[in-house]
Each structure stands twice: as C-alpha cells, then as structure tokens.
Amino acid sequence: MSIRVMLVDDQVLLRTGFRMVLAAQPDMEVVAEAGDGAEAIEVLRSTAVDVVLMDVRMPRLDGVEATRRICADPDAPKVLILTTFDLDEYAFSGLKAGASGFMLKDVPPGELLAAIRSVHSGDAVVAPSTTRRLLDRFSPMLPSTGKETKAVDSALARLTEREREVMLLVAQGLSNGEIAARLVLSEATVKTHVGRILTKLGLRDRVQVVVLAYESGLVRAGGGGSALS
C-alpha cells in the first residue's frame, strides 16, 4: 500500500515541486493539499492521510497550531514540520505540538523521501545532533510547573532501571546503535526498550522523549544529563 501524503504550504510552487518528487515514487501518493493549517484540518476530516508535510508560516492558521490540533487525535497522521531556517523556533514549537520531526525546505529529494518513509514506519526524522542543538537553544523557554513535574515524576516511576538508562541516552541524542554499544545490548533490544518507554510515558516518538527530558530537567542545555533515580 502506498504512503498517503498531504502537502500543506501556502506557496503553490513549493507544493508542486514536492508533489512531482513524491509522484515519481512507487510507494507514495499525494492524496491531498492545503494552503494553510485551517484548510488542512478541514481536508483531514474527509481524507485518509499517513504523513503530513507541514509548513509553519502560513496565513489564517500556522503550522504549529495546526499540528497541535491534528496530533491531539490518537489516530492522527504523522507530521513533518517544514522550515526555511535551521533551528527555527517554529520548528521547536512544532516538535512540542506533536510533530515527528522537522526538515529544511531545501532538503535533497532523497532525504525527503527517506524521512517520509521513516516517519511512516514510526521513527522520528530529526537527527540526534540537530535535536540536541535545537533544544539546547530553546530549553530556556521550557519552565515546568510543579504540577507538571509531579506528573512527569509519576510517569518515570513506571520505568524499569534499564528503561531509565535508555531514556536518558535517547534524551542526550544517541541513536539506537550508539545506545546499544554504550549499554552492550543489541539494537533490537534497545528498540524494544524505546517502544516500552513511549508506551509507558504516552509519547508518540523519541523526539517527544527528548522534549520531555528537557522540560523535566533530566537533560540540561549543553547535553548534560541528570540522574533518573
């Protein structure tokens, strides 16, 4: 079955370019387009979509708020935020809103296609080093209330000691392969641990693990980690 993709961007030429690239792929199909976030939400009510390529700066309803509303649905499609500038604060807000990653609009076609396939399969597409740099920059914008901190502590208490180790390494930006080498585990075992962490914490993907870790203070700006016990 083809990956059903929706393009959301107020620039028609950009949508046309993305559509041409995707249309050439045997496993992808552009099933919908929208010129802003409000139109995207309306279209999704009647169109089945697997992955949304979402611009951030659009009239009426921007991509961040549209992503937040879309991802509030448990059966929501995966969202990739598109941004013009690396480390754009809008991209960070998009990740917090539930996006599975972000990409630059001038990304090479091969990387765009790989990202769509990765997101569709359940992975996040923000490179660990990029996630870390982005969160290092914007972590001061993440003050947590006492109530939020207690909720996070309660959720973390459900993790096993090994799952806590894996979570901290994920939050520090390590890939599954790097975590496997660090903990002397197989990549398959690490992937299993990550899946259990996501389930126990009610998170969509590893990007949200990183965001949660920064919000809760488990990982500090600069990449340093604090104890999870």
PDB file of all heavy atoms in Angstrom, residues 4 34 183 198 216 218:
ATOM      1  N   ARG A   4       0.261   7.547   2.005  1.00  0.00           N
ATOM      2  CA  ARG A   4      -0.603   8.666   1.608  1.00  0.00           C
ATOM      3  C   ARG A   4      -0.079   9.957   2.242  1.00  0.00           C
ATOM      4  O   ARG A   4      -0.049  10.079   3.462  1.00  0.00           O
ATOM      5  CB  ARG A   4      -2.035   8.384   2.034  1.00  0.00           C
ATOM      6  CG  ARG A   4      -2.632   7.130   1.384  1.00  0.00           C
ATOM      7  CD  ARG A   4      -3.885   6.661   2.069  1.00  0.00           C
ATOM      8  NE  ARG A   4      -3.629   6.271   3.462  1.00  0.00           N
ATOM      9  CZ  ARG A   4      -4.510   5.669   4.245  1.00  0.00           C
ATOM     10  NH1 ARG A   4      -5.724   5.393   3.794  1.00  0.00           N
ATOM     11  NH2 ARG A   4      -4.204   5.350   5.482  1.00  0.00           N
ATOM     12  N   ALA A  34      -3.157  21.536   0.939  1.00  0.00           N
ATOM     13  CA  ALA A  34      -3.843  22.649   1.603  1.00  0.00           C
ATOM     14  C   ALA A  34      -2.914  23.854   1.627  1.00  0.00           C
ATOM     15  O   ALA A  34      -1.688  23.704   1.656  1.00  0.00           O
ATOM     16  CB  ALA A  34      -4.256  22.263   3.024  1.00  0.00           C
ATOM     17  N   LEU A 183      25.518   0.405  26.161  1.00  0.00           N
ATOM     18  CA  LEU A 183      24.966  -0.486  27.190  1.00  0.00           C
ATOM     19  C   LEU A 183      25.247  -1.964  26.922  1.00  0.00           C
ATOM     20  O   LEU A 183      24.792  -2.823  27.687  1.00  0.00           O
ATOM     21  CB  LEU A 183      23.450  -0.264  27.311  1.00  0.00           C
ATOM     22  CG  LEU A 183      22.999   1.149  27.707  1.00  0.00           C
ATOM     23  CD1 LEU A 183      21.482   1.224  27.779  1.00  0.00           C
ATOM     24  CD2 LEU A 183      23.626   1.575  29.033  1.00  0.00           C
ATOM     25  N   LEU A 198       8.010   4.710  25.293  1.00  0.00           N
ATOM     26  CA  LEU A 198       6.989   5.525  24.640  1.00  0.00           C
ATOM     27  C   LEU A 198       5.597   5.144  25.145  1.00  0.00           C
ATOM     28  O   LEU A 198       4.769   6.015  25.427  1.00  0.00           O
ATOM     29  CB  LEU A 198       7.054   5.335  23.118  1.00  0.00           C
ATOM     30  CG  LEU A 198       8.340   5.793  22.420  1.00  0.00           C
ATOM     31  CD1 LEU A 198       8.263   5.498  20.925  1.00  0.00           C
ATOM     32  CD2 LEU A 198       8.595   7.265  22.656  1.00  0.00           C
ATOM     33  N   SER A 216      11.585  18.387  31.957  1.00  0.00           N
ATOM     34  CA  SER A 216      11.624  17.898  33.336  1.00  0.00           C
ATOM     35  C   SER A 216      12.970  18.112  34.011  1.00  0.00           C
ATOM     36  O   SER A 216      13.118  17.858  35.203  1.00  0.00           O
ATOM     37  CB  SER A 216      11.293  16.401  33.355  1.00  0.00           C
ATOM     38  OG  SER A 216      12.285  15.666  32.645  1.00  0.00           O
ATOM     39  N   LEU A 218      15.719  16.461  33.202  1.00  0.00           N
ATOM     40  CA  LEU A 218      16.537  15.251  33.171  1.00  0.00           C
ATOM     41  C   LEU A 218      17.786  15.464  32.323  1.00  0.00           C
ATOM     42  O   LEU A 218      18.848  14.910  32.589  1.00  0.00           O
ATOM     43  CB  LEU A 218      15.738  14.077  32.590  1.00  0.00           C
ATOM     44  CG  LEU A 218      14.509  13.649  33.407  1.00  0.00           C
ATOM     45  CD1 LEU A 218      13.787  12.538  32.687  1.00  0.00           C
ATOM     46  CD2 LEU A 218      14.925  13.208  34.796  1.00  0.00           C
TER      47      LEU A 218
END
